[in-house]
Amino acid sequence: MITKTIKRSQFNPLVVRSSKKEKPRSKSKWAIEFMAILMTIFIFGIPFYFVIINAVKDATESASLNMAWPASFHIIDNINAVFQAQNGMIMRAFYNSIMITLLSIFLLIIMGSMAGYVLQRKKSKLSPLFNFLILAGLIIPPAIVPTIWVLNSIGLFKTMPGIVLVEVALHLPFTVLLYKGFMATIPKEIEEAAIIDGCTKSKLFFHIIFPLLKPVSSTVIVLTAVAVYNDFVNPLYFFPGSENATLQLTLYNFTSMYKTEWNLLFTNILLISIPPLILFIFFNKKIISGMTSGSIK
Amino acid sequence: MTSSLSKRYTYYFLLPAGIVYLVFFIFPTVMSLFFSMTWWSLTDWKFIGFDNFKTFLTEDSLNVGFKNTIIYAVVTCGLKVVLGLLLGVFLCTKLKSVGFIRSMVFFPTLLSTIAVGIAFTMMMHPSQGLFNVTLKAMGIIGPDWLGDTKIALLSVALVDVWKGVGIATVIYIAGIMSIPNDYYEALMIDGGNSFHKFWNIILPLSKPAMNSVIILSFIGGLRTFDLIWAMTKGGPGFSTDLIASIIYKQYQGGFYGLSTAGNVILFIVVSALAFPLYAYLNRKEVDL
């Protein structure tokens, strides 16, 4: 399984260059475009509008769950209420989520780049085994209770290092694959020159190769950030306890069997969607190219 | 120089990644084969052979997971493959709004599954929800999306497609963009129309992209847990229970051996379907 970054063509392949291009756009084309925009707004826009509009309403108004324009705006009150719920659980959750994400990214970059580098360069009888292990990691679902048992035995269950190491282990195969794929594009002559100059193995990697891997590293950063930040399942299993809440779990603060405070729930959804939104605005292209480069051979 | 070539790289570099991967992934996976055959309380275990598997296969509340998991994976995967292709082809045209539509389609993939699940659960409320209120305005009585055992699983699958079709679309776009222009020029000389362009060029040449979409979304579908948990928690009854949600329920109930047996079963189901599918799709690719 060799990954290869896709060469993006400069031209648009769906438009055949011909004299037809100079003709003014026909009415039917405008109609198609109009319909497309309308459908996009209908299918993808309305859910966002629904969440946002209900986040600014007060409790009674949002209880009817409709799309009507709010009679009055309560977004500041709602944000305050969300921050105060459960003794400020969301602050704790922000801290936990962000720490888990940052630590996972850091470890994945170091470990993944070292492994990807050696696996791409060194070919031996063991290579097929390593390739199989990477593929297995991409396909096999993690064994839940045995992992808890391992964490418990070494005293890391319900701890930050524990959840971080699990996240790292589960995201390593894809990360190594990305680094391995990119290493194939770096010429070996660079290393030969460094060796002649008397560079040691670790210096060669950390001072010469690692900086060249920057494009993949930034891909790993954004992809891991999205995946780990949004992860619900692993913290649920491996990081339980009220002190250990992550942001995804704060969503359950406002639903109970008897009463659900919709406006606060929607405000909470909005608040925790802000980091992905920021990532999306600044790294849109990086995220898309990362997601596609790992999957197309 | 050749002798120093392989010496230049050392497998010591694999150690940090290897240790973490072995301890927190490979070892638990291997141990799950053993613990699935035990009565287990984390500190104490008793070997009971295949009893857990028997329970899993015979009890109705547990084996419903197989059927549901396969249905869920096939429906989500199929819709993502088809809709992703259509969207991908459409978004490779030179319309002015392509950037806007692409962003709108892709953005949900970055959101939290739980948040999306909760928001859609509200919109699928049988009487107050947005879906049925809109349908009512049009004079149609909408179904109870998540409360009707016949359609609840499909409702969740639709939300999964809403959230995940963006990844399929960008993979297709990348595949279509990498088709060399020569093909279109050749087609133009031969006088082909846009249907020929789609059928004879885009479809066969975006096959690697399609294979990735199939594999990714199929495995993703088989392993789904969070969306089901956010929307129905397996209900009503057990009509939307997937293997992954049953694993969690057994874990919550303290049946660790049974939960691990569920894990092994999921592992077998995923491997039995995904590895052959992967091999089959790759073999086809070589033929191209």
Side-chain angles (χ1 to χ4, degrees):
Chain A
M1 202 174 186
I2 304 156
T3 52
K4 189 168 72 183
T5 25
I6 300 128
K7 287 180 201 110
R8 239 157 267 273
S9 329
Q10 294 303 307
F11 50 82
N12 190 325
L14 286 197
V15 175
V16 180
R17 270 155 217 204
S18 69
S19 55
K20 277 180 194 167
K21 220 181 91 189
E22 268 76 57
K23 274 210 301 195
R25 286 150 65 96
S26 61
K27 266 181 191 162
S28 69
K29 267 203 173 144
W30 282 112
I32 290 173
E33 178 147 21
F34 183 70
M35 282 302 292
I37 295 172
L38 212 64
M39 275 188 50
T40 311
I41 290 173
F42 189 72
I43 297 172
F44 289 95
I46 284 183
F48 294 129
Y49 172 80
F50 176 76
V51 169
I52 294 169
I53 209 74
N54 277 296
V56 302
K57 293 178 178 177
D58 64 15
T60 42
E61 229 190 319
S62 71
S64 58
L65 290 175
N66 60 26
M67 306 240 302
W69 194 251
S72 52
F73 289 85
H74 298 272
I75 184 72
I76 304 291
D77 299 339
N78 290 347
I79 290 175
N80 278 334
V82 167
F83 273 98
Q84 272 152 22
Q86 313 263 350
N87 299 321
M89 172 182 166
I90 198 167
M91 288 310 291
R92 185 85 211 148
F94 256 111
Y95 172 79
N96 284 337
S97 282
I98 285 170
M99 282 307 281
I100 293 170
T101 308
L102 290 180
L103 290 171
S104 302
I105 289 171
F106 175 74
L107 290 178
L108 274 170
I109 286 180
I110 302 284
M111 293 177 179
S113 60
M114 287 168 76
Y117 164 67
V118 173
L119 288 177
Q120 199 277 325
R121 286 293 199 250
K122 195 171 173 113
K123 300 281 177 242
S124 75
K125 280 178 203 158
L126 290 171
S127 301
L129 172 72
F130 292 133
N131 288 338
F132 173 76
L133 284 177
I134 292 175
L135 184 61
L138 292 172
I139 292 178
I140 296 172
I144 305 293
V145 192
T147 310
I148 293 177
W149 172 71
V150 168
L151 287 171
N152 210 13
S153 316
I154 52 179
L156 290 179
F157 185 43
K158 301 185 189 180
T159 65
M160 179 84 76
I163 180 72
V164 168
L165 287 170
V166 172
E167 294 281 8
V168 169
L170 298 184
H171 287 97
L172 260 175
F174 188 67
T175 309
V176 171
L177 211 60
L178 284 177
Y179 275 112
K180 207 178 142 204
F182 193 79
M183 268 315 294
T185 66
I186 295 178
K188 286 183 179 171
E189 284 74 16
I190 293 173
E191 292 159 60
E192 270 151 27
I195 293 274
I196 289 165
D197 289 349
C199 212
T200 61
K201 279 169 190 164
S202 54
K203 243 189 186 165
L204 170 66
F205 177 72
F206 286 105
H207 289 233
I208 294 168
I209 300 297
F210 188 72
L212 293 174
L213 293 171
K214 223 187 223 162
V216 204
S217 298
S218 56
T219 305
V220 171
I221 291 174
V222 285
L223 289 185
T224 315
V226 172
V228 176
Y229 177 85
N230 281 332
D231 191 7
F232 169 72
V233 184
N234 292 317
L236 182 72
Y237 279 121
F238 308 121
F239 199 53
S242 53
E243 267 296 284
N244 293 340
T246 58
L247 280 176
Q248 305 306 322
L249 289 169
T250 59
L251 291 170
Y252 287 100
N253 273 352
F254 307 106
T255 50
S256 75
M257 266 159 87
Y258 311 104
K259 185 172 163 262
T260 297
E261 292 158 290
W262 297 120
N263 54 336
L264 302 187
L265 177 65
F266 289 120
T267 308
N268 201 336
I269 290 180
L270 271 194
L271 283 176
I272 71 166
S273 302
I274 290 173
L277 181 67
I278 293 171
L279 273 181
F280 179 67
I281 291 169
F282 289 104
F283 302 105
N284 185 359
K285 289 223 169 73
K286 197 81 221 171
I287 297 171
I288 289 179
S289 69
M291 280 183 174
T292 50
S293 71
S295 56
I296 298 196
K297 296 179 292 336
Chain B
M1 205 66 203
T2 31
S3 62
S4 72
L5 253 172
S6 62
K7 274 186 202 159
R8 196 189 299 156
Y9 312 108
T10 158
Y11 276 139
Y12 284 124
F13 270 40
L14 289 182
L15 275 181
I19 289 172
V20 171
Y21 191 56
L22 280 179
V23 172
F24 296 100
F25 182 74
I26 299 292
F27 181 62
T29 305
V30 173
M31 287 311 282
S32 70
L33 298 175
F34 168 72
F35 281 122
S36 63
M37 293 190 228
T38 61
W39 176 91
W40 189 25
S41 70
L42 281 183
T43 48
D44 197 20
W45 55 266
K46 196 174 81 198
F47 192 78
I48 54 167
F50 286 97
D51 282 7
N52 286 328
F53 291 97
K54 270 183 214 150
T55 316
F56 230 101
L57 297 174
T58 51
E59 211 162 290
D60 285 343
S61 63
L62 300 177
N63 64 26
V64 66
F66 289 100
K67 200 185 81 192
N68 287 344
T69 305
I70 304 283
I71 293 174
Y72 188 86
V74 170
V75 169
T76 52
C77 175
L79 284 174
K80 282 178 197 173
V81 168
V82 175
L83 294 176
L85 176 65
L86 295 179
L87 275 166
V89 170
F90 181 76
L91 292 178
C92 281
T93 53
K94 250 191 181 162
L95 296 176
K96 283 213 173 69
S97 53
V98 159
F100 165 74
I101 297 177
R102 219 184 269 192
S103 306
M104 288 292 275
V105 172
F106 184 71
F107 183 59
T109 59
L110 301 181
L111 291 174
S112 139
T113 312
I114 302 299
V116 169
I118 291 177
F120 269 93
T121 310
M122 301 304 93
M123 288 188 264
M124 287 177 170
H125 190 281
S127 58
Q128 291 177 301
L130 192 61
F131 282 29
N132 282 358
V133 169
T134 314
L135 286 174
K136 205 175 166 191
M138 293 191 280
I140 308 167
I141 295 166
D144 187 352
W145 299 92
L146 298 170
D148 185 336
T149 51
K150 288 194 201 78
I151 60 162
L153 190 64
L154 294 179
S155 305
V156 181
L158 278 185
V159 178
D160 192 319
V161 173
W162 182 86
K163 187 180 184 305
V165 76
I167 292 180
T169 307
V170 295
I171 292 175
Y172 275 119
I173 291 175
I176 294 168
M177 287 295 195
S178 67
I179 298 173
N181 211 19
D182 311 7
Y183 290 92
Y184 302 108
E185 275 162 11
L187 185 87
M188 202 187 73
I189 291 165
D190 292 348
N193 60 23
S194 40
F195 173 75
H196 293 132
K197 201 174 10 176
F198 174 74
W199 193 254
N200 297 330
I201 297 179
I202 295 176
L203 202 57
L205 289 179
S206 61
K207 202 144 198 191
M210 187 183 281
N211 290 348
S212 304
V213 173
I214 293 174
I215 290 281
L216 284 178
S217 52
F218 192 67
I219 296 175
L222 290 175
R223 294 169 56 162
T224 298
F225 167 71
D226 38 11
L227 193 62
I228 285 283
W229 200 249
M231 295 187 71
T232 63
K233 292 200 161 56
F238 302 103
S239 59
T240 58
D241 253 332
L242 305 184
I243 299 178
S245 66
I246 292 170
I247 293 172
Y248 182 67
K249 283 181 178 173
Q250 299 311 318
Y251 161 73
Q252 262 190 326
F255 304 108
Y256 297 139
L258 196 56
S259 171
T260 308
N263 235 299
V264 172
I265 287 172
L266 181 60
F267 162 80
I268 292 169
V269 169
V270 173
S271 319
L273 295 173
F275 278 110
L277 186 67
Y278 182 81
Y280 174 76
L281 293 176
N282 271 9
R283 185 183 60 87
K284 280 270 174 131
E285 231 168 78
V286 178
D287 289 344
L288 253 172

